[in-house]
Amino acid sequence: MALPIDTNCMTVSRFIIEKQQENPDATGEFTTLLNSIVTAVKAISNAVRRAGIFQFYGLSGQTNTTGDEQKKLDVLSDELFINLLKSSQTVCGMVSEEDEGIIHVPKRSKEGKYIVCFDPLDGSSNIDCLGSIGSIFGIWKKKDPKESFKDSDVLQPGSEQVAAGYALYGSATMLVLALRNAGGVHGFMYDQSIGEFVLTDHHMKIKEKGAIYSLNEGYAKYFSTGLNNYLNAKKYPESGSPYGARYIGAGVADLHRTIKYGGIFMYPANTKSPKGKLRLMYECNPLAFIVEQAGGKATDGKKRILDIQPTDIHERTPLFIGSSKDVEEVMEFIKKYDS
């Protein structure tokens, strides 16, 4: 008779430890770092589920560094990430969407070798209506492990990430991880009965071409000619069926659907926001790293996201991400009509 509980389940902690054992030079520091992030995600997931009961909905009365009004859950999530990462003694610096400058570890603490850039709660405009939201993080190493941390260590291209991930708080809570040396993208579902993330999606892969496009088309008035021509080609194709349109309004949720079903997610520049709106360091770089590991592509419309050399921790960029052929196609339209 089948047991209702898997007595040999692959939890995220077990997965991380097994990957550590495959590296003879591992010190355990990276494992400790990831476990700290997992703990933050569990705590945020719990807060999201109980937000209505404990009055976590609504605005905090503050704005973040990019001018967005902060929700109460934004502030809570930010503090959880920062405090758990600081106490892990594995990081030397952090960047958060909610904080203006680089976050340093206290001088009394051990300085780790890792830099973490994160959006503690992505899609917070969905909070009050119970829509899907998420967390995003990317992990880099400081440039010289023998030297003390310098602020300039943070400004590395996304191609230098050693890992990235996101958590999706929706109908269930899922943690998706991409590790440079572990091969591929792996999804873990949160099992509340045991308080652990359990591996459910091994080696996630994105289709080469999908049939869904995703963006806020309400701003089409401000889109470039190339992008509007691309959208018309998807809605009114000369042959075959038109693409479906889906848009949740939280980058993590829209991207997770894109990985699962294929297609393209776009957050383009427009005449009102010529540099785009998404942040490179803690939104686009981690998501691009994950999608490339899953076999997709991510560009700003002209060049690969992971090749962009950042000049500011809150730098913005357009984003076109998803199935490789869909991303290539929109780039062709942009090149043809917007050059």
Side-chain angles (χ1 to χ4, degrees):
M1 184 178 72
L3 294 173
I5 297 176
D6 184 356
T7 57
N8 191 33
C9 60
M10 177 64 74
T11 66
V12 67
S13 299
R14 177 179 172 185
F15 177 84
I16 295 167
I17 291 171
E18 288 192 1
K19 293 303 177 184
Q20 174 189 316
Q21 292 173 340
E22 294 173 7
N23 182 359
D25 298 321
T27 63
E29 190 173 346
F30 185 66
T31 299
T32 300
L33 169 61
L34 285 178
N35 281 329
S36 297
I37 292 174
V38 169
T39 301
V41 168
K42 288 179 182 178
I44 294 168
S45 176
N46 189 46
V48 168
R49 303 293 175 209
R50 299 190 297 165
I53 297 171
F54 290 96
Q55 304 299 309
F56 287 149
Y57 291 143
L59 298 173
S60 68
Q62 306 172 63
T63 57
N64 65 18
T65 185
T66 54
D68 300 323
E69 290 185 316
Q70 287 180 312
K71 303 278 189 175
K72 293 174 185 176
L73 275 174
D74 282 319
V75 177
L76 174 71
S77 302
D78 189 47
E79 291 177 353
L80 280 166
F81 260 92
I82 291 170
N83 291 333
L84 283 161
L85 287 170
K86 278 184 177 179
S87 64
S88 73
Q89 298 191 343
T90 61
V91 298
C92 52
M94 294 170 279
V95 171
S96 168
E97 180 188 15
E98 307 301 330
D99 297 86
E100 183 174 355
I102 295 170
I103 304 162
H104 298 84
V105 298
K107 291 183 178 179
R108 65 179 181 276
S109 300
K110 173 192 171 186
E111 182 179 286
K113 61 185 176 184
Y114 294 103
I115 299 161
V116 184
C117 299
F118 55 90
D119 181 350
L121 204 63
D122 172 64
S124 54
S125 61
N126 281 352
I127 290 173
D128 292 359
C129 68
L130 303 183
S132 296
I133 50 182
S135 302
I136 309 171
F137 60 90
I139 303 172
W140 287 257
K141 285 183 179 179
K142 63 181 176 181
K143 294 178 181 177
D144 188 342
K146 297 179 181 178
E147 297 289 333
S148 296
F149 171 73
K150 301 182 291 294
D151 286 356
S152 59
D153 287 335
V154 171
L155 296 176
Q156 299 182 55
S159 57
E160 296 299 317
Q161 288 174 103
V162 297
Y166 62 77
L168 174 61
Y169 315 110
S171 57
T173 297
M174 170 161 270
L175 177 67
V176 174
L177 285 177
L179 312 178
R180 176 179 295 281
N181 296 324
V185 179
H186 310 278
F188 302 83
M189 194 79 73
Y190 188 51
D191 185 343
Q192 290 182 308
S193 66
I194 61 173
E196 288 285 357
F197 282 98
V198 178
L199 181 63
T200 54
D201 293 61
H202 196 46
H203 286 295
M204 296 169 69
K205 290 293 182 184
I206 187 170
K207 294 178 182 178
E208 189 177 38
K209 185 175 177 62
I212 298 171
Y213 73 86
S214 178
L215 83 167
N216 188 346
E217 207 168 352
Y219 288 98
K221 172 183 177 180
Y222 307 110
F223 291 165
S224 70
T225 302
L227 180 55
N228 274 321
N229 285 347
Y230 170 77
L231 293 174
N232 285 331
K234 297 296 101 180
K235 291 185 287 187
Y236 308 103
E238 294 180 358
S239 62
S241 300
Y243 270 36
R246 301 287 186 275
Y247 185 68
I248 298 169
V252 167
D254 281 308
L255 185 79
H256 189 70
R257 182 200 57 249
T258 302
I259 293 174
K260 297 289 284 186
Y261 300 153
I264 184 168
F265 170 63
M266 297 171 280
Y267 212 119
N270 58 53
T271 55
K272 294 185 71 175
S273 303
K275 294 183 178 180
K277 290 199 70 176
L278 294 184
R279 272 67 58 153
L280 174 64
M281 293 300 298
Y282 41 81
E283 290 177 323
C284 298
N285 271 334
L287 297 181
F289 184 87
I290 294 164
V291 164
E292 285 201 5
Q293 292 269 334
K297 288 190 174 182
T299 80
D300 67 354
K302 296 180 180 179
K303 57 182 177 294
R304 181 180 178 231
I305 288 290
L306 296 181
D307 288 338
I308 298 173
Q309 175 59 52
T311 57
D312 184 85
I313 60 173
H314 297 296
E315 182 174 338
R316 297 177 187 266
T317 182
L319 179 66
F320 300 85
I321 187 169
S323 297
S324 59
K325 288 191 178 297
D326 288 309
V327 174
E328 290 167 2
E329 186 177 8
V330 74
M331 289 179 69
E332 289 172 3
F333 272 82
I334 291 171
K335 182 178 181 180
K336 180 177 181 180
Y337 294 103
D338 298 339
S339 297

